[in-house]
PDB file of all heavy atoms in Angstrom:
ATOM      1  N   HIS B  46      28.206   9.218 -65.787  1.00  0.00           N
ATOM      2  CA  HIS B  46      29.071   8.049 -65.931  1.00  0.00           C
ATOM      3  C   HIS B  46      29.178   7.223 -64.657  1.00  0.00           C
ATOM      4  O   HIS B  46      30.028   6.335 -64.538  1.00  0.00           O
ATOM      5  CB  HIS B  46      30.473   8.510 -66.364  1.00  0.00           C
ATOM      6  CG  HIS B  46      30.461   9.077 -67.749  1.00  0.00           C
ATOM      7  ND1 HIS B  46      30.567  10.440 -67.986  1.00  0.00           N
ATOM      8  CD2 HIS B  46      30.310   8.504 -68.955  1.00  0.00           C
ATOM      9  CE1 HIS B  46      30.498  10.653 -69.296  1.00  0.00           C
ATOM     10  NE2 HIS B  46      30.331   9.486 -69.915  1.00  0.00           N
ATOM     11  N   GLY B  63      38.379  16.168 -46.942  1.00  0.00           N
ATOM     12  CA  GLY B  63      38.316  17.248 -47.904  1.00  0.00           C
ATOM     13  C   GLY B  63      36.892  17.633 -48.218  1.00  0.00           C
ATOM     14  O   GLY B  63      35.970  17.254 -47.480  1.00  0.00           O
ATOM     15  N   PHE B  78      34.154  15.892 -45.989  1.00  0.00           N
ATOM     16  CA  PHE B  78      34.580  14.536 -45.636  1.00  0.00           C
ATOM     17  C   PHE B  78      35.639  14.607 -44.552  1.00  0.00           C
ATOM     18  O   PHE B  78      36.595  15.368 -44.662  1.00  0.00           O
ATOM     19  CB  PHE B  78      35.175  13.822 -46.851  1.00  0.00           C
ATOM     20  CG  PHE B  78      34.134  13.131 -47.693  1.00  0.00           C
ATOM     21  CD1 PHE B  78      33.343  13.862 -48.556  1.00  0.00           C
ATOM     22  CD2 PHE B  78      33.961  11.764 -47.623  1.00  0.00           C
ATOM     23  CE1 PHE B  78      32.377  13.226 -49.332  1.00  0.00           C
ATOM     24  CE2 PHE B  78      33.007  11.123 -48.389  1.00  0.00           C
ATOM     25  CZ  PHE B  78      32.207  11.852 -49.244  1.00  0.00           C
ATOM     26  N   GLN B 120      20.551  36.727 -37.252  1.00  0.00           N
ATOM     27  CA  GLN B 120      20.926  37.703 -38.287  1.00  0.00           C
ATOM     28  C   GLN B 120      21.227  39.067 -37.671  1.00  0.00           C
ATOM     29  O   GLN B 120      22.003  39.837 -38.207  1.00  0.00           O
ATOM     30  CB  GLN B 120      19.794  37.817 -39.313  1.00  0.00           C
ATOM     31  CG  GLN B 120      19.824  36.638 -40.279  1.00  0.00           C
ATOM     32  CD  GLN B 120      18.507  36.422 -40.989  1.00  0.00           C
ATOM     33  OE1 GLN B 120      17.589  37.219 -40.851  1.00  0.00           O
ATOM     34  NE2 GLN B 120      18.427  35.348 -41.747  1.00  0.00           N
ATOM     35  N   LEU B 129      21.815  29.114 -30.083  1.00  0.00           N
ATOM     36  CA  LEU B 129      20.558  29.648 -29.542  1.00  0.00           C
ATOM     37  C   LEU B 129      19.527  28.534 -29.319  1.00  0.00           C
ATOM     38  O   LEU B 129      18.786  28.568 -28.341  1.00  0.00           O
ATOM     39  CB  LEU B 129      19.972  30.683 -30.519  1.00  0.00           C
ATOM     40  CG  LEU B 129      20.678  32.034 -30.551  1.00  0.00           C
ATOM     41  CD1 LEU B 129      20.112  32.901 -31.663  1.00  0.00           C
ATOM     42  CD2 LEU B 129      20.557  32.757 -29.224  1.00  0.00           C
ATOM     43  N   GLN B 151      20.065  14.285 -45.836  1.00  0.00           N
ATOM     44  CA  GLN B 151      19.039  14.676 -46.812  1.00  0.00           C
ATOM     45  C   GLN B 151      19.676  15.373 -48.030  1.00  0.00           C
ATOM     46  O   GLN B 151      19.262  15.157 -49.165  1.00  0.00           O
ATOM     47  CB  GLN B 151      18.010  15.596 -46.151  1.00  0.00           C
ATOM     48  CG  GLN B 151      17.059  14.818 -45.236  1.00  0.00           C
ATOM     49  CD  GLN B 151      16.082  15.712 -44.500  1.00  0.00           C
ATOM     50  OE1 GLN B 151      16.233  16.940 -44.510  1.00  0.00           O
ATOM     51  NE2 GLN B 151      15.119  15.109 -43.833  1.00  0.00           N
ATOM     52  N   PRO B 180      29.659  10.813 -38.098  1.00  0.00           N
ATOM     53  CA  PRO B 180      29.888  10.865 -39.553  1.00  0.00           C
ATOM     54  C   PRO B 180      29.025   9.839 -40.291  1.00  0.00           C
ATOM     55  O   PRO B 180      28.772   8.740 -39.796  1.00  0.00           O
ATOM     56  CB  PRO B 180      31.369  10.529 -39.691  1.00  0.00           C
ATOM     57  CG  PRO B 180      31.958  10.740 -38.347  1.00  0.00           C
ATOM     58  CD  PRO B 180      30.891  10.465 -37.372  1.00  0.00           C
ATOM     59  N   LYS B 216      37.200 -26.341 -45.758  1.00  0.00           N
ATOM     60  CA  LYS B 216      38.487 -25.863 -46.262  1.00  0.00           C
ATOM     61  C   LYS B 216      38.327 -24.522 -46.987  1.00  0.00           C
ATOM     62  O   LYS B 216      39.182 -23.651 -46.901  1.00  0.00           O
ATOM     63  CB  LYS B 216      39.082 -26.887 -47.220  1.00  0.00           C
ATOM     64  CG  LYS B 216      39.530 -28.155 -46.529  1.00  0.00           C
ATOM     65  CD  LYS B 216      40.059 -29.144 -47.539  1.00  0.00           C
ATOM     66  CE  LYS B 216      40.476 -30.440 -46.840  1.00  0.00           C
ATOM     67  NZ  LYS B 216      40.896 -31.459 -47.777  1.00  0.00           N
ATOM     68  N   THR B 266      29.202  -7.737 -48.668  1.00  0.00           N
ATOM     69  CA  THR B 266      29.779  -7.726 -50.027  1.00  0.00           C
ATOM     70  C   THR B 266      31.274  -8.039 -49.946  1.00  0.00           C
ATOM     71  O   THR B 266      31.817  -8.757 -50.796  1.00  0.00           O
ATOM     72  CB  THR B 266      29.561  -6.367 -50.707  1.00  0.00           C
ATOM     73  OG1 THR B 266      30.118  -5.337 -49.879  1.00  0.00           O
ATOM     74  CG2 THR B 266      28.088  -6.096 -50.932  1.00  0.00           C
ATOM     75  N   THR B 277      22.315 -17.781 -49.858  1.00  0.00           N
ATOM     76  CA  THR B 277      21.595 -19.051 -49.982  1.00  0.00           C
ATOM     77  C   THR B 277      20.561 -18.962 -51.095  1.00  0.00           C
ATOM     78  O   THR B 277      19.964 -19.966 -51.457  1.00  0.00           O
ATOM     79  CB  THR B 277      20.871 -19.389 -48.664  1.00  0.00           C
ATOM     80  OG1 THR B 277      19.953 -18.339 -48.394  1.00  0.00           O
ATOM     81  CG2 THR B 277      21.843 -19.542 -47.519  1.00  0.00           C
ATOM     82  N   LYS B 298      28.602   3.409 -32.480  1.00  0.00           N
ATOM     83  CA  LYS B 298      29.521   4.014 -31.520  1.00  0.00           C
ATOM     84  C   LYS B 298      29.167   5.477 -31.407  1.00  0.00           C
ATOM     85  O   LYS B 298      28.664   6.072 -32.372  1.00  0.00           O
ATOM     86  CB  LYS B 298      30.963   3.932 -32.033  1.00  0.00           C
ATOM     87  CG  LYS B 298      31.567   2.559 -32.025  1.00  0.00           C
ATOM     88  CD  LYS B 298      32.950   2.668 -32.565  1.00  0.00           C
ATOM     89  CE  LYS B 298      33.619   1.320 -32.678  1.00  0.00           C
ATOM     90  NZ  LYS B 298      34.934   1.436 -33.278  1.00  0.00           N
ATOM     91  N   VAL B 339       7.209  15.057   4.051  1.00  0.00           N
ATOM     92  CA  VAL B 339       7.079  15.670   5.382  1.00  0.00           C
ATOM     93  C   VAL B 339       5.618  15.608   5.845  1.00  0.00           C
ATOM     94  O   VAL B 339       5.311  15.150   6.945  1.00  0.00           O
ATOM     95  CB  VAL B 339       7.592  17.124   5.355  1.00  0.00           C
ATOM     96  CG1 VAL B 339       7.220  17.851   6.639  1.00  0.00           C
ATOM     97  CG2 VAL B 339       9.099  17.146   5.150  1.00  0.00           C
ATOM     98  N   ARG B 364     -11.753  10.575  16.733  1.00  0.00           N
ATOM     99  CA  ARG B 364     -12.564  10.085  17.840  1.00  0.00           C
ATOM    100  C   ARG B 364     -12.363   8.582  18.020  1.00  0.00           C
ATOM    101  O   ARG B 364     -12.178   8.095  19.135  1.00  0.00           O
ATOM    102  CB  ARG B 364     -14.026  10.406  17.544  1.00  0.00           C
ATOM    103  CG  ARG B 364     -14.932  10.338  18.754  1.00  0.00           C
ATOM    104  CD  ARG B 364     -16.304  10.951  18.500  1.00  0.00           C
ATOM    105  NE  ARG B 364     -16.875  10.553  17.233  1.00  0.00           N
ATOM    106  CZ  ARG B 364     -17.140  11.404  16.234  1.00  0.00           C
ATOM    107  NH1 ARG B 364     -16.865  12.683  16.358  1.00  0.00           N
ATOM    108  NH2 ARG B 364     -17.682  10.969  15.110  1.00  0.00           N
ATOM    109  N   ARG B 366      -9.866   6.807  17.097  1.00  0.00           N
ATOM    110  CA  ARG B 366      -8.514   6.501  17.585  1.00  0.00           C
ATOM    111  C   ARG B 366      -8.427   6.731  19.090  1.00  0.00           C
ATOM    112  O   ARG B 366      -7.782   5.961  19.803  1.00  0.00           O
ATOM    113  CB  ARG B 366      -7.494   7.376  16.868  1.00  0.00           C
ATOM    114  CG  ARG B 366      -7.328   6.941  15.455  1.00  0.00           C
ATOM    115  CD  ARG B 366      -6.378   7.819  14.755  1.00  0.00           C
ATOM    116  NE  ARG B 366      -6.343   7.449  13.359  1.00  0.00           N
ATOM    117  CZ  ARG B 366      -5.503   7.958  12.503  1.00  0.00           C
ATOM    118  NH1 ARG B 366      -4.629   8.853  12.887  1.00  0.00           N
ATOM    119  NH2 ARG B 366      -5.506   7.580  11.253  1.00  0.00           N
ATOM    120  N   HIS B 381      -5.080  -4.140  36.105  1.00  0.00           N
ATOM    121  CA  HIS B 381      -4.403  -3.571  37.281  1.00  0.00           C
ATOM    122  C   HIS B 381      -5.216  -3.859  38.536  1.00  0.00           C
ATOM    123  O   HIS B 381      -4.667  -4.214  39.587  1.00  0.00           O
ATOM    124  CB  HIS B 381      -4.220  -2.053  37.071  1.00  0.00           C
ATOM    125  CG  HIS B 381      -3.351  -1.416  38.097  1.00  0.00           C
ATOM    126  ND1 HIS B 381      -3.817  -1.053  39.349  1.00  0.00           N
ATOM    127  CD2 HIS B 381      -2.038  -1.082  38.072  1.00  0.00           C
ATOM    128  CE1 HIS B 381      -2.825  -0.513  40.040  1.00  0.00           C
ATOM    129  NE2 HIS B 381      -1.724  -0.523  39.292  1.00  0.00           N
ATOM    130  N   HIS B 385      -3.811  -5.864  41.624  1.00  0.00           N
ATOM    131  CA  HIS B 385      -3.447  -5.081  42.798  1.00  0.00           C
ATOM    132  C   HIS B 385      -4.623  -4.740  43.704  1.00  0.00           C
ATOM    133  O   HIS B 385      -4.455  -4.061  44.710  1.00  0.00           O
ATOM    134  CB  HIS B 385      -2.762  -3.779  42.354  1.00  0.00           C
ATOM    135  CG  HIS B 385      -1.564  -4.029  41.486  1.00  0.00           C
ATOM    136  ND1 HIS B 385      -0.358  -4.441  41.990  1.00  0.00           N
ATOM    137  CD2 HIS B 385      -1.397  -3.945  40.142  1.00  0.00           C
ATOM    138  CE1 HIS B 385       0.513  -4.604  40.994  1.00  0.00           C
ATOM    139  NE2 HIS B 385      -0.097  -4.305  39.861  1.00  0.00           N
ATOM    140  N   GLU B 390      -3.390   4.599  40.294  1.00  0.00           N
ATOM    141  CA  GLU B 390      -3.550   5.959  40.830  1.00  0.00           C
ATOM    142  C   GLU B 390      -3.342   7.001  39.745  1.00  0.00           C
ATOM    143  O   GLU B 390      -3.708   8.162  39.910  1.00  0.00           O
ATOM    144  CB  GLU B 390      -2.583   6.164  41.991  1.00  0.00           C
ATOM    145  CG  GLU B 390      -3.066   5.388  43.209  1.00  0.00           C
ATOM    146  CD  GLU B 390      -2.128   5.495  44.391  1.00  0.00           C
ATOM    147  OE1 GLU B 390      -1.161   6.275  44.297  1.00  0.00           O
ATOM    148  OE2 GLU B 390      -2.361   4.785  45.371  1.00  0.00           O
ATOM    149  N   PRO B 462     -19.645  -5.415  57.908  1.00  0.00           N
ATOM    150  CA  PRO B 462     -18.749  -5.337  59.066  1.00  0.00           C
ATOM    151  C   PRO B 462     -17.956  -6.614  59.289  1.00  0.00           C
ATOM    152  O   PRO B 462     -16.850  -6.558  59.798  1.00  0.00           O
ATOM    153  CB  PRO B 462     -19.692  -5.070  60.240  1.00  0.00           C
ATOM    154  CG  PRO B 462     -20.861  -4.384  59.611  1.00  0.00           C
ATOM    155  CD  PRO B 462     -21.010  -5.022  58.278  1.00  0.00           C
ATOM    156  N   LEU B 463     -18.524  -7.770  58.906  1.00  0.00           N
ATOM    157  CA  LEU B 463     -17.811  -9.036  59.071  1.00  0.00           C
ATOM    158  C   LEU B 463     -16.455  -8.981  58.374  1.00  0.00           C
ATOM    159  O   LEU B 463     -15.436  -9.344  58.953  1.00  0.00           O
ATOM    160  CB  LEU B 463     -18.665 -10.170  58.486  1.00  0.00           C
ATOM    161  CG  LEU B 463     -18.020 -11.552  58.464  1.00  0.00           C
ATOM    162  CD1 LEU B 463     -17.826 -12.059  59.888  1.00  0.00           C
ATOM    163  CD2 LEU B 463     -18.882 -12.523  57.678  1.00  0.00           C
ATOM    164  N   LEU B 467     -12.667  -8.986  59.944  1.00  0.00           N
ATOM    165  CA  LEU B 467     -11.649  -9.953  59.544  1.00  0.00           C
ATOM    166  C   LEU B 467     -10.369  -9.266  59.109  1.00  0.00           C
ATOM    167  O   LEU B 467      -9.280  -9.698  59.411  1.00  0.00           O
ATOM    168  CB  LEU B 467     -12.185 -10.815  58.401  1.00  0.00           C
ATOM    169  CG  LEU B 467     -13.063 -11.996  58.810  1.00  0.00           C
ATOM    170  CD1 LEU B 467     -13.718 -12.603  57.585  1.00  0.00           C
ATOM    171  CD2 LEU B 467     -12.239 -13.028  59.558  1.00  0.00           C
TER     172      LEU B 467
END
Side-chain angles (χ1 to χ4, degrees):
Chain B
H46 293 106
F78 273 78
Q120 282 160 6
L129 286 173
Q151 285 176 349
K216 291 178 182 176
T266 56
T277 60
K298 289 179 183 177
V339 169
R364 197 167 45 244
R366 288 178 186 187
H381 189 279
H385 304 283
E390 287 178 6
L463 175 67
L467 278 170

